[in-house]
Amino acid sequence: QVQLVESGGGSVQAGGSLRLSCAASGSFFGINVMGWYRQAPGKQRELVARITNGGTTNYADSMKGRFTISRDNAKNTVYLQMNSLKPEDTAVYSCNADVRRGYGTTTYPYWGQGTQVTVSS
């Protein structure tokens, strides 16, 4: 009932920038937390950043100061601005949303398919 579609991934040289976006569509009452996660080959999935519907953010330490998460609630879209990219940022980046599907406060997690980000040196 809920779909998340990421866009903006690709290849970039070290020091460059990319802007990822993730749009939610379908039937739901609202979205609480939205976030970005990444997984590199041979490593576990890790949190990149997340943002509440009120705008409160938190970041993984390795991304703090380089990445910025934001959202447009009217468009049900979350963004990730990535600056000063490093080769170690190479990973599949996935969008996550905690979605309210009913009148209560219960949320359900949804995930996008992921988008590849490759940073070359």
Side-chain angles (χ1 to χ4, degrees), residues 32-111:
N32 287 357
V33 178
M34 302 186 78
W36 290 93
Y37 295 74
R38 71 184 186 185
Q39 187 169 21
K43 300 185 66 176
Q44 294 185 339
R45 188 191 302 270
E46 64 175 341
L47 171 71
V48 176
R50 62 183 182 182
I51 183 169
T52 71
N53 57 0
T56 301
T57 62
N58 73 306
Y59 300 86
D61 288 341
S62 62
M63 272 68 78
K64 190 176 299 183
R66 299 189 298 120
F67 293 3
T68 302
I69 189 170
S70 61
R71 64 189 286 173
D72 186 335
N73 290 332
K75 298 181 179 179
N76 293 317
T77 300
V78 63
Y79 306 93
L80 184 68
Q81 178 67 46
M82 303 185 294
N83 298 325
S84 301
L85 284 164
K86 306 173 181 179
E88 52 262 43
D89 294 321
T90 296
V92 174
Y93 286 71
S94 300
C95 174
N96 166 261
D98 291 329
V99 178
R100 301 194 306 275
R101 305 194 309 193
Y103 294 104
T105 59
T106 302
T107 62
Y108 301 84
Y110 288 87
W111 292 87

